[in-house]
Amino acid sequence: MHSTSGGSVSGLSRRMLLRGGMMAAALTAAGSPVAAADPAAGLPTVDELWDAQLRLNDLGPRFTGNAAHRGFVDYIDTSLRDMGIQVIRDRVSFTRWEAGRFDLRLDGTPLRTAGYVPYSGSTGPEGVEGELVYAGTDPRDGFPPGSLQDRIVVTDARSVLLPVSMVRPVFEYLHDPDGTVADSETISGIALSFSTPLTVFRLAGARAVILVLDASPENAAGQYVPFLYPLAGMPGLIVDRETGARLRERARTGGRAHLTLEATVEPGATTDDVIGLLPGASDEISLINTHTDGPNAIEENGPLALLALARKLSAIPREQRRRSYAFLFATGHIAVEVGDTQRFIGNHPDLIRRAASALTIEHLGGLQWIDDPVLGYHATGQPDFLPLLTSQNPALWTTARDAVQANDLRRGVVIRAIMNAGMPGVGSVLNAVGVPTVAALGTPPYLLSWADNGHIDKLDPHLLHRQVRTCADILDRLDAAPRLDLALGGTLLQGGGQLLPEVLGAGWNAARSILPFAGQFGIVSQ
């Protein structure tokens, strides 16, 4: 189990000063950038970028608003200011939830537990006990009030698995010059899992929920899923497929379970977006965005790429910067009450109206791991797929394709969003409101799981650097294109730049989530 104490804020701040200084040195020690065709010009070296990655991982899980996350956000702020970049911080208040001790017992015998459902609830130290009942897979129709009274519910999660054979027809381009990709491989894994909101079970009278992932014990361990729901007031734990099979069987024969999940709830907690503004020769803006919260080394290391790009661009004279730049480091991606990019859109409509393009960067450097029923959870020795999703304009997907080819980014996949909101991650709402968007985001099975080592063993320094370089190349190509060329054939801002009210209102969550992306292939029901 990961530690939830996190130490004192002041202690973390001292560590951040030491680590932050060394991380900054790693990201800023490269030679003077020039506006050259070489996308690597001005970027950190492989070793420098990897050193920054290691120091980020040393912070531990950056759950939204915890001490490690706040320290990392402060470090980003300081780094941008040191580059001479104007910084804006947008603060948001929310109710922060963080898990502590958890335990599960079946008929008095301890069971292996993978983790807990984020923002589920708390039992207190005494826990809760009840008869088991099996509710099937992701039951969407709900239950009559009182029908689950005092029960502990066992239910299966629904995972988004996209076999290459199914999605290959929508690939605009797959970079696989050696033919290593098999149709049986999947582009996403257990990290993209969904369940019925736990409030459904609470309203039916249940005492707690046990969510079963279709994953081996090694793969299920620490999965921070699903993170798409607000605080439910219904404690929930996660188990792997083997433990789940035992629980299902005992649910059919009257078994009883005792479940403990202690958690702290902090109303009025705060967390900040960080926005860096760098003027150029034009008022048009190139928006580069990511998020700052995450449980491990890869989720989220996008800020390291943004800081590397910011250092490169800030060293170029203003008159040689073809556009102005806005760097968005959003908070709240894994705390749904907070939200992420849609808040920036609402707070800064002037920047959105000036945006010629957006480049979203998330989850870089991951190696492929497969959870095989026979061979178990293991590395394949290949890079994991890096999907690059684009708005519908052909100029965007050809830009992404050309950059992937030029940088020999093996297993880079270019996919054009089928719908305005059909793009996962923190770039989805930018695409939905009409900003021409390219979004690079890996989805390995360990993407959302916490671990003692942060899964740093599953990242590769050379792959990380190549992916950052590819993103720098995409940005160079976007900046070289006239704004109208990027917009034509895509999703122009409606009403001359008026924001879509359904995205900024109650419907924003569907636009930002993975569900539209999965739904377009019929993988999950809407």
Side-chain angles (χ1 to χ4, degrees), residues 80-113:
L80 293 172
R81 293 180 193 274
D82 288 346
M83 299 174 199
I85 294 174
Q86 178 189 352
V87 173
I88 299 171
R89 288 182 72 148
D90 291 341
R91 178 156 295 180
V92 59
S93 298
F94 72 112
T95 299
R96 191 175 76 86
W97 180 96
E98 188 160 343
R101 184 179 71 91
F102 54 88
D103 178 76
L104 180 62
R105 295 171 186 268
L106 176 62
D107 300 322
T109 302
L111 283 185
R112 179 179 58 229
T113 308

Side-chain angles (χ1 to χ4, degrees), residues 364-435:
L364 302 182
L367 295 170
Q368 186 182 53
W369 280 63
I370 290 178
D371 198 354
D372 186 272
V374 177
L375 300 177
Y377 189 46
H378 68 283
T380 67
Q382 295 288 346
D384 197 48
F385 294 100
L386 182 69
L388 293 105
L389 296 108
T390 78
S391 301
Q392 296 177 26
N393 181 1
L396 295 169
W397 68 258
T398 55
T399 292
R401 178 203 62 194
D402 292 349
V404 166
Q405 290 177 337
N407 291 276
D408 193 23
L409 183 61
R410 304 298 172 101
R411 293 173 172 248
V413 183
V414 179
I415 304 173
R416 186 164 27 165
I418 296 176
M419 301 177 294
N420 282 6
M423 182 183 291
V426 295
S428 64
V429 288
L430 295 170
N431 175 60
V433 299
V435 179

Side-chain angles (χ1 to χ4, degrees), residues 155-448:
T155 182
D156 295 310
R158 188 185 302 274
S159 298
V160 178
L161 299 174
L162 303 175
V164 169
S165 60
M166 179 177 293
V167 296
R168 194 184 286 272
V170 301
F171 289 173
E172 299 293 347
Y173 178 70
L174 166 63
H175 192 63
D176 183 32
D178 298 329
T180 65
V181 176
D183 279 352
S184 59
E185 296 183 45
T186 57
I187 298 235
S188 60
I190 199 67
L192 302 180
S193 296
F194 306 93
S195 72
T196 299
L198 300 193
T199 51
V200 170
F201 303 110
R202 175 171 58 80
L203 294 173
R207 287 183 171 176
V209 175
I210 302 169
L211 183 64
V212 182
L213 297 184
D214 185 15
S216 65
E218 296 79 11
N219 188 9
Q223 291 288 352
Y224 197 77
V225 297
F227 65 93
L228 297 176
Y229 304 123
L231 186 59
M234 170 59 43
L237 294 185
I238 293 175
V239 298
D240 59 71
R241 65 166 72 99
E242 296 173 11
T243 302
R246 291 184 59 187
L247 288 166
R248 283 190 217 97
E249 178 59 30
R250 289 298 288 128
R252 296 185 181 99
T253 56
R256 296 183 66 84
H258 185 277
L259 183 150
T260 303
L261 173 56
E262 297 183 54
T264 58
V265 178
E266 182 187 352
T270 60
T271 184
D272 293 0
D273 293 331
V274 176
I275 302 149
L277 300 178
L278 181 65
S282 167
D283 285 338
E284 293 178 357
I285 283 177
S286 290
L287 175 60
I288 312 158
N289 71 303
T290 189
H291 64 95
T292 55
D293 48 344
N296 57 37
I298 192 170
E299 174 85 88
E300 177 58 69
N301 60 6
L304 303 183
L306 263 66
L307 289 174
L309 292 172
R311 171 60 59 179
K312 171 181 178 175
L313 294 165
S314 64
I316 298 172
R318 176 174 178 172
E319 63 274 11
Q320 294 181 27
R321 295 193 288 263
R322 288 169 287 194
R323 288 194 170 106
S324 298
Y325 296 90
F327 301 90
L328 169 60
F329 301 81
T331 187
H333 185 59
I334 58 172
V336 71
E337 179 190 346
V338 181
D340 46 54
T341 312
Q342 80 290 343
R343 182 178 48 257
F344 167 80
I345 294 172
N347 288 341
H348 302 279
D350 56 323
L351 298 180
I352 293 297
R353 293 189 182 101
R354 292 166 54 196
S357 66
L359 173 60
T360 302
I361 305 175
E362 304 179 69
H363 325 145
L364 302 182
L367 295 170
Q368 186 182 53
W369 280 63
I370 290 178
D371 198 354
D372 186 272
V374 177
L375 300 177
Y377 189 46
H378 68 283
T380 67
Q382 295 288 346
D384 197 48
F385 294 100
L386 182 69
L388 293 105
L389 296 108
T390 78
S391 301
Q392 296 177 26
N393 181 1
L396 295 169
W397 68 258
T398 55
T399 292
R401 178 203 62 194
D402 292 349
V404 166
Q405 290 177 337
N407 291 276
D408 193 23
L409 183 61
R410 304 298 172 101
R411 293 173 172 248
V413 183
V414 179
I415 304 173
R416 186 164 27 165
I418 296 176
M419 301 177 294
N420 282 6
M423 182 183 291
V426 295
S428 64
V429 288
L430 295 170
N431 175 60
V433 299
V435 179
T437 301
V438 177
L441 67 165
T443 58
Y446 48 87
L447 177 65
L448 285 164

Side-chain angles (χ1 to χ4, degrees), residues 43 127 233 322 427 443 498 503:
L43 293 178
R322 288 169 287 194
T443 58
Q498 297 301 310
V503 173

